Amino acid sequence: MKKLLALSITALLCLSFLTPQKTHAQASFGLRAGLNFANINDRPDGFEPDNRTGVMIGGYLNVKVPMSPISIQPEALYSQKGYESGGATLKLDYLEIPVLAKFSFAPGPVQPHVYFGPYAGIVLNSEASGNGVSVDVDNAQTDFGGVIGAGADLNAGITKLNVGLRYSFGLVDAIDGAQGKNSALSIVAGIDL
């Protein structure tokens, strides 16, 4: 799992260096981390699980569209999702790859932005645990869904920091043959390198 995350971040870093020189000034690479408050949507009637709190960590490449407030931002993130219910926890961990359209406003030291786009989530770990027992869940599905969010870029002199809030929602059931789609509200922060 650590090797896959390192490989993804390395791939994004290589992309930033392989960008043609003229466009390179319009591209930035950064690291992002945050907290996920994950659960499932579209669940069976009467089933009310609690959130699973997890982490999100990874990198992004932000490519600005010239003469525009728009940029395209692919990301590679390790994202912990799932839920808790009755003393048991369903842990669904993904390599999540969103491709976001980002719209920035009001250039200056604090630049608000909104973004949205699709994501694909490749299962890295899927297990149910509780009462000292842990069982692998072999029928976890590749996750597909969408992301919407808002935040601000903060000019910190030689670099930019960013903070925000995002919501991701699955479009397919997380477990084959079981009703329920992933969802997560995330608080995120990042830094351009």
Side-chain angles (χ1 to χ4, degrees):
M1 178 170 53
K2 290 180 184 177
K3 289 181 184 179
L4 189 55
L5 180 60
L7 181 62
S8 300
I9 292 172
T10 303
L12 280 173
L13 184 59
C14 289
L15 271 175
S16 71
F17 288 118
L18 294 175
T19 307
Q21 203 58 10
K22 184 174 181 179
T23 308
H24 187 69
Q26 298 294 322
S28 62
F29 173 78
L31 298 176
R32 172 169 324 267
L35 278 179
N36 282 348
F37 302 97
N39 211 317
I40 58 170
N41 287 332
D42 193 25
R43 54 188 174 243
D45 290 338
F47 183 55
E48 298 293 332
D50 295 321
N51 291 341
R52 176 190 181 207
T53 302
V55 299
M56 170 196 294
I57 187 166
Y60 61 87
L61 177 66
N62 185 280
V63 180
K64 294 194 179 299
V65 175
M67 306 293 287
S68 164
I70 301 169
S71 58
I72 304 301
Q73 184 168 294
E75 301 178 346
L77 306 167
Y78 170 70
S79 185
Q80 294 179 326
K81 295 186 177 179
Y83 61 85
E84 295 182 4
S85 179
T89 302
L90 177 63
K91 299 176 183 178
L92 298 171
D93 301 341
Y94 297 92
L95 170 60
E96 201 166 89
I97 304 169
V99 179
L100 307 173
K102 180 178 173 184
F103 299 86
S104 299
F105 307 99
V110 177
Q111 187 173 31
H113 61 259
V114 295
Y115 52 87
F116 65 91
Y119 75 83
I122 300 161
V123 179
L124 299 177
N125 179 46
S126 58
E127 65 181 55
S129 61
N131 298 324
V133 177
S134 180
V135 178
D136 286 339
V137 178
D138 293 329
N139 55 351
Q141 299 292 302
T142 298
D143 195 23
F144 296 98
V147 175
I148 57 172
D153 294 318
L154 313 168
N155 190 343
I158 59 172
T159 191
K160 269 203 279 191
L161 305 175
N162 57 71
V163 294
L165 189 65
R166 66 166 59 183
Y167 178 70
S168 62
F169 52 93
L171 297 174
V172 298
D173 288 332
I175 304 294
D176 186 29
Q179 186 178 345
K181 298 171 176 58
N182 280 314
S183 68
L185 179 65
S186 306
I187 300 169
V188 294
I191 184 169
D192 282 4
L193 299 178

